[in-house]
Amino acid sequence: MTKQIHLAAHFPGVNNTTVWSDPAAGSHVEFDSFRRFAQIAERGKFDFLFLAEGLRLREQKGQIYDLDVVGRPDTFTVLAALAGVTQRLGLTGTINSTFNEPYEVARQFASLDHLSEGRAAWNVVTSWDQFTGENFRRGGYLAQGDRYERARTFLRTTTELFDSWNGVEILADQEQGRFLDTDRPGTFRHQDRFFDIEGQFNVPRSPQGRPVIFQAGDSEEGREFAASGADAIFSRYATRKEGKAFYDDVKGRLPKYGRERDDLLILPAASFVLGDTDAEAEELAHQVRRAQVSPQTAINFIEQLWNTDLSGFDVDGPLPSFDPVVEGEAIAKGRASVRQLAKDPIALANEWRDKAEVEKLSARDLVIEVTGRQTFVGSASTIAETINQFVQEDVSDGFILVPHITPDGLGPFVDTVVPLLQERGVFRTDYEGTTLRDHLGLKYPGDPQA
Amino acid sequence: MTGNTPLHLGVALDGAGWHPAAWRQADARPKELFSPRYWADLVTEAEAGLLDLVTIEDALNLQSDEFAEQDARADRVRGRLDAVLIAARVAPLTRHIGLVPTVIATHTEPFHISKAIATLDYAATGRAGVRVQVAARNDTAKHFGRREFPPIDLARINEPEVQQLVADHFDEAADYVQVLRRLWDSWEDDAEIRDVATGRFVDRDKLHYIDFDGRWFSVKGPSITPRPPQGQPLVAALGHADIPYRLIGRAADLGFVTPHDAEQAADLVARIDEQRHTAGRQDEKIHVWADLVVVLDDTEQAARDRLAALDELAGTEYTSDAKIFTGTPAQLADLLVQWQAQGLSGYRLRPATLPHDLQRITRGLVPELQRRGLFRTEYPQSGTLRGLLELDRPANRYVRA
């Protein structure tokens, strides 16, 4: 059977994906950028828009990191405003389960779902670091081992809150004077070692019952967490081999939770560079990568692995000959890449040195190679063909596209690739339902009190 | 003197209106209270009436007829949406009117709310405000499970230990506003430089740690959201006693008070003015507006009859912290002018029922005030909420002179 492709638009976050030096690059904060971005995605009949989150400005060597886009709006607020200027596009927000409380997050998502008439989704992430905690009441540190346990229990608690109304309480019977069919709506009680809460939830059940739940974690625990209850995974594996392996692994975990294959969608993040011809696109892609990795960005990237100050380092020469510093605090804070780099810095440094020697790459070229390769590079027909192949071969169920130009970078994709996918009959020509669950083909949660 | 000074008008939106039987009026839309269209229609109506702002009520508990605890009534509107998100939802649909959602300082994170209101200010291009409220009920605290509050006993409200508890709540709110304001200033206006030559997107010398360390929380900063269009979105608070007036004097741009006659209005204006001086804000303006519940009809008798009918439906006589005005829009205009002379700069009107009393404000009261030269006849071309209230865009506290 031919699978239908799901497409989403990731508003670029605060990393070096965005080529902010490009003359076409606009604001990452003004609402008009978000409006334009969302309306382009909706013109392309995309499933949803996706927003990442970071709750403290990133730092390197004790100073605010200044080379990438810095600054972004509040996720809930911008999604609610976008609900007013779009009609069908799903609205997915990344919201941290560590620096929030279940009652408040549940009412924000339930409110967003009401205000968008059923288009809300929550990408559940956890963080644990004291660095971010310094901005919040709870502050501090969550032990690594507690991260998923707390995230799981946070999600379970919010689910209980979403389910505390069954959706039929409101009678609004003006004649009889009965607004509700119950005098204790939204009653809940939850006790475990993380949360001890009880009372009445104050938002009636929203159009989707609960928001669509995304999960982004990649560890063994993260995969299990997703398989047990998430509706979709925001994955990082967009290449054929890695994507397929991840897809098979996670989908294979579903049966033990009594779930079917289509109950969980795998949607990797993907970038693209379009050209009139494949050759032109390749050339353009190289230019974009060089723009994304300026000499200073390359130094900072190498510093993150070597965990040492490399000011004045010549990036047009070879990588440092000495080994990375393994001990001590990370010099880069508040960013995801640090954790990946930190697993075995010396082995990774050796790998990079070997690659640079074989391929005759300068330090900067090496960084461009290991960080930058776009997922899809080519003409519109090449990209449409590749995306369709990937989805039909179960590399993924679709892609979450992040353009390198904000806010209009998605326009060419929508205008040239989407029509080709529609011609092939693998992507919708119009929205068939009204909610995000409809777009994604997900079941609605049943009556919680039935 | 003040007789010819234009006055300011806001409307307080809450559910189907402020009367507990409002949802049973023929023109009410009780099934739509949780739909975006309902809120868009109300705010659009308020904007058609050239009002300064709407406030949107909120709470982290269900509505209750009891002051100190949750009731169990099925004959009243129960349930509400997050006010900041309602404001954000209507922001792109409006162009001039100020949007002032309520936030609960007691249980929320100032870091989150600061960026939320900054973002609302971006989405509304300079029309955001925030009304800060405290939540002392222990059943509300149990929704969060992090704090325990003693039961509230109104009969003991004047005892020292109860007064201390109340003061703690409002002191925490003052700290909260302090953090909101510092975070809004934590980016200088020209921090984003996009300097291609040096590869720097921001000038990090123009980003500031706020290093707030208080009794209830500490916040490092800077915000993740750049300084909003107004610099400092409007901060408002409602008060009924000296402790909340102190919060208004220390932290707010706009205070809501509940006088029941002209003499009380004069007294409340003076008391907030005193708090403003005590707080060292001699050079700053604080608007003081009176809250009024309004039941408006073409004749005074019709308004009285409608209120009586509503009370009958509710099964109790409606009482409020604010004065309940029943009459015609022209009679209300007379009262507003009379009280304005005591030093009030405007009013926050609480429509008893929606949309009826809102429409009597926008289509009856406003034209009446315009005829008297007391209300704007159009919005300024491009304006901010601070601009509507004649407040300057403040200098950033972190900019070195």
Side-chain angles (χ1 to χ4, degrees):
Chain A
M1 202 186 90
T2 312
K3 283 166 74 184
Q4 288 292 305
I5 296 169
H6 297 286
L7 291 175
H10 181 344
F11 191 95
V14 294
N15 54 48
N16 72 326
T17 302
T18 296
V19 181
W20 56 258
S21 56
D22 191 291
S27 172
H28 282 245
V29 175
E30 301 287 341
F31 181 68
D32 195 52
S33 285
F34 290 86
R35 180 206 312 261
R36 277 160 62 182
F37 187 84
Q39 288 176 345
I40 291 168
E42 189 163 72
R43 177 155 58 81
K45 313 298 176 193
F46 275 38
D47 292 72
F48 60 91
L49 173 144
F50 183 95
L51 289 183
E53 186 183 50
L55 296 173
R56 180 151 175 198
L57 298 185
R58 300 179 304 161
E59 292 186 3
Q60 190 149 332
K61 292 185 283 184
Q63 288 186 299
I64 288 165
Y65 192 82
D66 58 0
L67 302 181
D68 297 340
V69 169
V70 183
R72 55 170 131 215
D74 177 69
T75 300
F76 280 119
T77 312
V78 85
L79 292 179
L82 286 173
V85 294
T86 54
Q87 280 74 48
R88 291 286 177 265
L89 187 68
L91 302 165
T92 304
T94 301
I95 294 293
N96 199 294
S97 64
T98 308
F99 303 113
N100 287 291
E101 300 299 327
Y103 193 94
E104 197 186 9
V105 167
R107 79 185 295 267
Q108 285 170 313
F109 271 114
S111 295
L112 180 63
D113 205 42
H114 278 290
L115 292 168
S116 63
E117 296 176 298
R119 297 187 278 141
W122 174 16
N123 179 35
V124 185
V125 297
T126 72
S127 65
W128 67 96
D129 59 303
Q130 203 156 9
F131 178 72
T132 305
E134 285 177 358
N135 283 332
F136 297 98
R137 286 178 186 259
R138 277 192 192 269
Y141 176 86
L142 192 61
Q144 176 81 15
D146 278 348
R147 277 175 64 203
Y148 275 105
E149 184 52 29
R150 191 177 185 284
R152 240 192 307 271
T153 191
F154 191 100
L155 184 58
R156 197 180 309 128
T157 310
T158 54
T159 302
E160 287 165 20
L161 293 167
F162 293 131
D163 286 354
S164 67
W165 291 66
N166 61 25
V168 298
E169 294 90 348
I170 296 177
L171 306 173
D173 181 344
Q174 292 180 308
E175 257 334 89
Q176 301 297 317
R178 294 178 69 205
F179 187 77
L180 298 173
D181 74 349
T182 166
D183 55 13
R184 289 285 181 192
T187 301
F188 68 91
R189 180 179 172 81
H190 180 103
Q191 277 177 306
D192 61 32
R193 75 186 171 102
F194 295 103
F195 304 105
D196 180 1
I197 62 175
E198 65 177 313
Q200 288 175 266
F201 189 53
N202 72 350
V203 185
R205 195 162 178 85
S206 72
Q208 293 189 108
R210 302 171 203 146
V212 172
I213 300 295
F214 280 70
Q215 212 275 323
D218 178 39
S219 63
E220 178 63 25
E221 279 176 305
R223 291 177 187 207
E224 214 54 42
F225 179 40
S228 69
D231 299 306
I233 296 187
F234 175 59
S235 119
R236 69 165 72 105
Y237 301 114
T239 61
R240 182 177 256 126
K241 193 168 153 231
E242 288 183 322
K244 182 104 187 78
F246 182 77
Y247 192 95
D248 290 343
D249 177 87
V250 175
K251 296 257 179 175
R253 296 171 192 247
L254 292 171
K256 73 175 161 213
Y257 296 103
R259 305 183 72 203
E260 290 164 35
R261 213 170 157 76
D262 294 339
D263 290 348
L264 175 68
L265 299 175
I266 311 245
L267 303 171
S271 54
F272 64 91
V273 177
L274 266 167
D276 287 341
T277 64
D278 288 353
E280 189 194 294
E282 282 296 345
E283 175 54 32
L284 216 61
H286 188 70
Q287 287 171 24
V288 169
R289 290 205 296 275
R290 286 194 77 78
Q292 287 168 331
V293 184
S294 70
Q296 194 53 48
T297 297
I299 292 177
N300 286 14
F301 189 80
I302 296 165
E303 279 182 340
Q304 285 169 38
L305 181 62
W306 261 260
N307 207 29
T308 192
D309 188 341
L310 295 171
S311 311
F313 177 75
D314 176 14
V315 284
D316 294 323
L319 287 165
S321 52
F322 58 89
D323 281 341
V325 176
V326 181
E327 273 106 50
E329 231 182 307
I331 61 167
K333 293 185 173 170
R335 59 194 305 161
S337 61
V338 182
R339 297 202 300 278
Q340 284 165 257
L341 292 177
K343 278 175 193 161
D344 187 354
I346 293 174
L348 188 56
N350 286 333
E351 198 183 303
W352 285 6
R353 285 200 201 97
D354 292 348
K355 184 179 170 72
E357 199 176 310
V358 172
E359 299 179 26
K360 308 225 175 322
L361 301 172
S362 69
R364 181 182 174 201
D365 290 336
L366 185 278
V367 174
I368 289 170
E369 283 302 311
V370 299
T371 60
R373 174 73 196 178
Q374 294 89 349
T375 320
F376 303 115
V377 177
S379 65
S381 67
T382 299
I383 291 184
E385 179 64 35
T386 313
I387 287 180
N388 188 37
Q389 266 179 18
F390 277 25
V391 171
Q392 302 311 330
E393 291 171 13
D394 286 349
V395 171
S396 77
D397 295 310
F399 292 94
I400 299 178
L401 298 167
V402 53
H404 60 267
I405 299 291
T406 308
D408 298 333
L410 208 57
F413 186 98
V414 161
D415 293 333
T416 64
V417 180
V418 167
L420 295 176
L421 295 171
Q422 290 168 330
E423 270 173 34
R424 287 165 195 261
V426 292
F427 189 67
R428 69 175 69 84
T429 52
D430 204 352
Y431 293 105
E432 284 161 20
T434 60
T435 71
L436 180 54
R437 282 186 190 279
D438 293 342
H439 307 338
L440 295 175
L442 295 167
K443 298 180 183 111
Y444 284 75
D447 179 348
Q449 274 132 53
Chain B
M1 274 297 286
T2 49
N4 287 324
T5 311
L7 50 82
H8 296 282
L9 282 182
V11 162
L13 298 178
D14 187 17
W18 287 71
H19 194 287
W23 68 277
R24 300 181 66 181
Q25 288 276 108
D27 66 342
R29 296 156 65 183
K31 284 189 194 300
E32 294 180 58
L33 301 179
F34 309 99
S35 78
R37 202 173 310 105
Y38 176 74
W39 293 95
D41 287 350
L42 293 178
V43 179
T44 305
E45 177 69 29
E47 185 169 69
L50 307 176
L51 303 188
D52 291 80
L53 57 86
V54 293
T55 62
I56 302 167
E57 298 300 304
D58 206 354
L60 296 170
N61 45 252
L62 284 167
Q63 300 90 328
S64 178
D65 278 18
E66 306 296 325
F67 179 76
E69 59 187 17
Q70 191 60 50
D71 67 11
R73 301 194 68 126
D75 64 335
R76 309 278 203 248
V77 170
R78 295 291 180 257
R80 56 167 86 249
L81 302 180
D82 183 275
V84 173
L85 299 186
I86 292 173
R89 177 63 176 75
V90 300
L93 313 180
T94 51
R95 287 186 55 207
H96 303 287
I97 193 162
L99 302 170
V100 185
T102 297
V103 305
I104 310 303
T106 313
H107 299 295
T108 59
E109 293 282 358
F111 191 86
H112 286 316
I113 294 298
S114 175
K115 64 185 162 65
I117 300 302
T119 301
L120 179 62
D121 206 37
Y122 279 105
T125 54
R127 295 180 286 122
V130 60
R131 180 275 186 101
V132 176
Q133 199 171 29
V134 304
R137 269 167 53 177
N138 195 42
D139 57 356
T140 310
K142 283 183 174 171
H143 293 163
F144 293 83
R146 297 175 50 191
R147 306 164 82 169
E148 283 280 337
F149 298 138
I152 303 163
D153 181 357
L154 281 180
R156 296 179 54 228
I157 193 75
N158 288 319
E159 292 178 16
E161 60 198 272
V162 180
Q163 284 290 296
Q164 187 55 50
L165 280 170
V166 174
D168 282 352
H169 277 295
F170 282 91
D171 285 350
E172 180 179 2
D175 277 6
Y176 188 97
V177 174
Q178 176 71 8
V179 170
L180 299 185
R181 291 191 179 284
R182 286 197 201 175
L183 287 169
W184 290 329
D185 277 354
S186 66
W187 289 57
E188 295 185 28
D189 289 318
D190 52 356
E192 184 177 313
I193 51 173
R194 297 191 182 226
D195 184 41
V196 177
T198 60
R200 292 179 306 146
F201 184 82
V202 288
D203 178 351
R204 60 186 163 212
D205 293 337
K206 294 185 173 179
L207 303 181
H208 302 277
Y209 297 105
I210 70 163
D211 285 319
F212 182 88
D213 193 7
R215 185 175 151 200
W216 292 273
F217 42 77
S218 56
V219 177
K220 179 77 181 174
S223 180
I224 59 164
T225 307
R227 194 169 195 242
Q230 293 182 101
Q232 292 278 317
L234 189 83
V235 175
L238 167 70
H240 305 93
D242 277 330
I243 289 171
Y245 300 152
R246 190 173 70 202
L247 171 68
I248 294 168
R250 288 159 74 183
D253 303 297
L254 168 59
F256 303 127
V257 293
T258 54
H260 285 245
D261 58 39
E263 199 182 333
Q264 283 180 17
D267 176 52
L268 296 178
V269 168
R271 282 158 75 180
I272 288 180
D273 206 46
E274 191 185 317
Q275 295 289 354
R276 180 172 66 91
H277 278 85
T278 307
R281 295 175 68 197
Q282 283 79 354
D283 302 331
E284 293 177 49
K285 182 180 172 80
I286 299 178
H287 281 274
V288 181
W289 293 9
D291 271 21
L292 289 167
V293 178
V294 294
V295 184
L296 297 171
D297 282 292
D298 292 342
T299 66
E300 189 178 339
Q301 193 55 49
R304 286 181 191 283
D305 291 348
R306 193 159 59 86
L307 179 59
L310 284 164
D311 283 351
E312 175 77 24
L313 285 172
T316 49
E317 187 186 339
Y318 177 51
T319 58
S320 171
D321 55 331
K323 178 182 168 67
I324 301 168
F325 175 88
T326 50
T328 67
Q331 288 172 320
L332 177 58
D334 291 342
L335 180 136
L336 301 189
V337 170
Q338 201 191 354
W339 287 18
Q340 185 191 16
Q342 310 302 318
L344 296 169
S345 61
Y347 298 88
R348 185 175 77 138
L349 304 178
R350 307 179 184 175
T353 74
L354 292 168
H356 180 99
D357 292 301
L358 172 60
Q359 289 170 352
R360 291 302 178 280
I361 292 166
T362 54
R363 302 171 195 189
L365 174 67
V366 165
E368 180 64 34
L369 291 171
Q370 287 168 333
R371 273 191 290 278
R372 303 185 193 190
L374 293 173
F375 200 68
R376 69 176 65 86
T377 53
E378 58 182 2
Y379 281 115
Q381 259 314 306
S382 67
T384 63
L385 175 54
R386 292 189 75 92
L388 284 179
L389 297 186
E390 301 117 26
L391 298 169
D392 293 334
R393 189 176 190 277
N396 189 324
R397 73 198 62 203
Y398 295 111
V399 174
R400 280 180 294 263

